[in-house]
Amino acid sequence: MANAQALSMRATTVGLGLLLLAGCEGVIEGPLQPGVAPGAPGSGGAGGGTTVACVVTAGPATAARVRRLTRAELDATFSQLLAQPLTPSTSFPIDTSSGGYTNQADHLQVTQEFADKLNVAAETMATLAVTNLASLLPCTSTGDEVCARAFINDFVKKAYRREVTAEERAGLFAVYQAGRAGADFKAGIGLMLQVVFQSPNFLFRTELGAAAVAGAAPTQLTLDEIAAELAYLVTGAPPDATLSAAADLTSPDGREREVLRLMKTPQARRQVSAFFSQWLGIDRLEKLDKDTTVFPLFSPALASSMRRETSAFVEDVVFASDGTLRTLFTANYSFIDASLAKVYAVAAPASFGKVTLDGTQRAGLLTHASVLATWAQRDLSSPVQRGKQVRTRIFCQPIAPPPPGVSLVLPSTNPTAATTTRARFEQHTSSGSCVGCHKFMDPIGFGFENYDGIGQHRITENGVAVDASGELTFTDSNGPFTGAVALGQKLGNSAEVRACFTRNWFQFALARSNTNAEHCNIAATFERFQKGEAGVRDVVVAVVRSEEFTHRLAQRN
């Protein structure tokens, strides 16, 4: 395990061109549109920029590497191998999030705690496997050496996601023999499986190619490596038999064929939903701590319903509709149950299902309770958090943390005072060192004030009319708006939002951050989507067809 841990690479620094904003000690990122220099009108800059050439560079930027399976990938791998739903990683340490995503290769290390938990899981999974061994064996003559060797050739090939070498077969057979000595066939297989499930060959995915040596030209991944990369990206699980047998994965058309096939599976729907969950930051929804004296409807069960709604909505738009960001940000329907019906103040459906919502109150992802509750505080809404999330996650314009010494505590609430959350935030951030940064977050966040801290719609707060007017600045969609529905319409038509989305998908797909120098390459890869001519499914296909997906730079160590 120590050797496997050493293979985890250091994080890649996001080399972005940053535009310093007057009066703000933090920074906000410059333009996302290739070919536009900082400060160009509509570029995300401050005005007065110039057009620059956009040059697509040749060759991949991803280094040859090994990638540890994430917790979710481990669960999916065990489930597929043992042909039953399994979640052995629930006790594992939480995967480190980088850039909002938990699959980033440089951050997936094997700590001592992780190794200890894997040891326990390996024993548990091995015991479970031998209790149903007949369904896993490729032979009927159980109990003999021939069958044990056949099991190694068949099952371990699936576990390692490649052919098993002669040396590996010999070593695993020796472990089988040691386990069987003084016991029986199942004991031998069980001990051998414990070794397999803790092997780096099982825990790590390689992206080394056949000739990834120092000083070598970019190398193409092997067929097994491409199959594994494609399967885990599209389904979050190992390759199935059809993909493992595919012989034309070095061809973009061959990869596209397999992507389109796999996209029809339930696993692909869940994988797309998982991406959106991390992109929007709602993957921590069930861990939210809400004050139930302020929000009596909130509970862990309601949080699960919120997540279920967003997952079902995303899957419906992506797989049953046009899959565009415009629809994701503007559709006036969703999927709810009785508990969410109370939050939305609509008639409860007979069971979880699709409903049409009041389009003046609810339209698209920004008005989902999952997003509104996550982008809020424990006991109230949060214009700052909501505005910052739109700025950073939707427009890819990071804002630095507040400078040291700045008070983050709002003025205390006076129960008898007729005031609103907006008024309190305006009082807190309207002067001093707070002004510089908050002017880029709060005007956006104020547009969400028609929703409380768990997403319930409101027109008054403490007896005072809510002001949900907001404004977008430093984007390609500048201008005033009122309410999150109107904001969603702006975002749904924004080229910068589409560009940001593709950068996020690129990071998720390749499990690494991307740099400012890659903006032109990313734009070229996802050209149709960035023009508004394609949906999310086309984004998946585009990255899998790219050379970046199948080639790696020589390993630096």
Side-chain angles (χ1 to χ4, degrees):
M1 284 301 174
N3 290 336
Q5 181 178 356
L7 290 171
S8 181
M9 297 180 293
R10 298 175 59 192
T12 303
T13 301
V14 182
L16 301 172
L18 298 174
L19 178 64
L20 285 173
L21 295 176
C24 182
E25 293 193 32
V27 290
I28 186 168
E29 185 177 285
L32 294 175
Q33 295 290 63
V36 183
S43 73
T50 57
T51 300
V52 295
C54 186
V55 179
V56 177
T57 57
T62 306
R65 60 190 179 180
V66 293
R67 295 166 58 179
R68 200 208 80 200
L69 297 182
T70 66
R71 294 174 69 211
E73 289 169 345
L74 272 171
D75 288 342
T77 302
F78 277 122
S79 297
Q80 184 165 308
L81 285 172
L82 302 186
Q84 56 185 299
L86 297 167
T87 56
S89 77
T90 51
S91 65
F92 284 36
I94 300 296
D95 292 332
T96 300
S97 177
S98 175
Y101 303 104
T102 57
N103 70 338
Q104 302 299 280
D106 291 345
H107 296 270
L108 291 171
Q109 300 182 354
V110 179
T111 63
Q112 185 61 55
E113 180 185 8
F114 185 98
D116 292 341
K117 296 295 185 181
L118 180 63
N119 178 52
V120 173
E123 293 180 7
T124 302
M125 294 297 100
T127 299
L128 183 62
V130 297
T131 61
N132 193 31
L133 192 55
S135 65
L136 303 179
L137 289 173
C139 42
T140 55
S141 57
T142 60
D144 59 25
E145 291 188 356
V146 173
C147 187
R149 293 184 187 278
F151 181 78
I152 292 173
N153 289 336
D154 179 73
F155 186 89
V156 179
K157 176 183 178 180
K158 297 174 185 175
Y160 287 178
R161 302 171 290 276
R162 59 166 174 77
E163 293 290 345
V164 187
T165 67
E167 182 180 5
E168 289 167 340
R169 289 196 298 270
L172 290 172
F173 186 74
V175 174
Y176 157 78
Q177 289 179 310
R180 183 173 182 176
D184 58 13
F185 179 78
K186 286 187 175 182
I189 294 294
L191 183 62
M192 185 264 290
L193 285 179
Q194 289 184 44
V195 172
V196 169
F197 292 152
Q198 294 179 82
S199 168
N201 299 298
F202 169 76
L203 184 60
F204 288 85
R205 295 159 48 194
T206 67
E207 295 176 8
L208 301 174
V213 295
T219 182
Q220 182 171 270
L221 301 182
T222 66
L223 285 176
D224 288 330
E225 289 173 333
I226 295 173
E229 185 186 16
L230 193 154
Y232 279 106
L233 171 61
V234 179
T235 69
D240 61 12
T242 301
L243 180 56
S244 295
D248 59 347
L249 296 180
T250 57
S251 159
D253 289 344
R255 297 193 297 275
E256 179 173 349
R257 184 197 66 246
E258 288 302 308
V259 168
L260 295 178
R261 178 181 68 82
L262 292 173
M263 290 282 275
K264 298 176 183 178
T265 65
Q267 293 92 330
R269 298 171 73 95
R270 291 194 294 268
Q271 184 73 346
V272 168
S273 177
F275 163 75
F276 273 87
S277 180
Q278 293 185 63
W279 178 47
L280 297 171
I282 63 173
D283 51 323
R284 54 190 175 90
L285 187 61
E286 283 82 0
K287 293 182 171 57
L288 290 183
D289 177 25
K290 295 290 183 178
D291 187 339
T292 54
T293 62
V294 179
F295 305 119
L297 289 179
F298 190 80
S299 66
L302 179 62
S304 295
S305 293
M306 291 176 178
R307 179 189 288 277
R308 187 182 184 191
E309 175 198 14
T310 301
S311 294
F313 174 76
V314 165
E315 291 174 15
D316 186 79
V317 172
V318 172
F319 293 93
S321 184
D322 62 8
T324 64
L325 285 188
R326 183 179 297 107
T327 300
L328 285 162
F329 280 123
T330 63
N332 68 332
Y333 72 88
S334 196
F335 297 79
I336 66 172
D337 59 12
S339 61
L340 266 179
K342 295 179 181 179
V343 175
Y344 289 178
V346 298
S351 60
F352 180 84
K354 186 176 182 178
V355 296
T356 300
L357 300 171
D358 181 348
T360 65
Q361 295 184 6
R362 306 277 174 184
L365 290 169
L366 294 186
T367 61
H368 279 208
S370 61
V371 173
L372 295 164
T374 301
W375 297 1
Q377 295 188 12
R378 182 174 184 271
D379 57 351
L380 75 163
S381 63
S382 176
V384 175
Q385 287 192 45
R386 289 170 174 174
K388 181 180 180 182
Q389 289 291 82
V390 171
R391 186 68 78 179
T392 60
R393 301 303 292 170
I394 309 299
F395 279 103
C396 289
Q397 297 176 343
I399 297 176
V406 172
S407 173
L408 302 179
V409 181
L410 282 174
S412 60
T413 303
N414 181 350
T416 63
T419 188
T420 63
T421 301
R422 177 172 187 148
R424 293 173 65 203
F425 273 94
E426 286 178 331
Q427 175 186 348
H428 182 64
T429 62
S430 62
S431 63
S433 59
C434 296
V435 177
C437 288
H438 279 274
K439 68 180 181 181
F440 303 109
M441 299 180 289
D442 297 9
I444 302 175
F446 288 144
F448 290 90
E449 278 303 284
N450 277 135
Y451 307 93
D452 68 13
I454 63 169
Q456 297 176 107
H457 191 268
R458 63 189 181 187
I459 58 175
T460 64
E461 182 183 8
N462 296 325
V464 180
V466 168
D467 179 2
S469 61
E471 184 178 10
L472 274 177
T473 57
F474 295 91
T475 73
D476 64 345
S477 306
N478 292 347
F481 65 90
T482 300
V485 172
L487 176 60
Q489 292 171 348
K490 281 180 170 286
L491 301 185
N493 292 310
S494 167
E496 288 188 2
V497 170
R498 291 193 296 272
C500 177
F501 181 88
T502 55
R503 284 190 57 199
N504 274 274
W505 171 253
F506 194 80
Q507 177 172 352
F508 178 80
L510 294 180
R512 66 167 178 83
S513 58
N514 47 77
T515 68
N516 193 53
E518 293 183 277
H519 284 192
C520 291
N521 287 34
I522 295 173
T525 300
F526 305 112
E527 180 180 10
R528 290 187 61 244
F529 181 85
Q530 291 200 5
K531 289 180 177 179
E533 300 172 352
V536 172
R537 283 175 295 174
D538 300 285
V539 172
V540 181
V541 171
V543 75
V544 171
R545 287 185 62 92
S546 69
E547 182 185 15
E548 187 70 47
F549 191 76
T550 58
H551 287 72
R552 296 291 179 267
L553 296 176
Q555 178 64 280
R556 60 174 172 265
N557 60 350

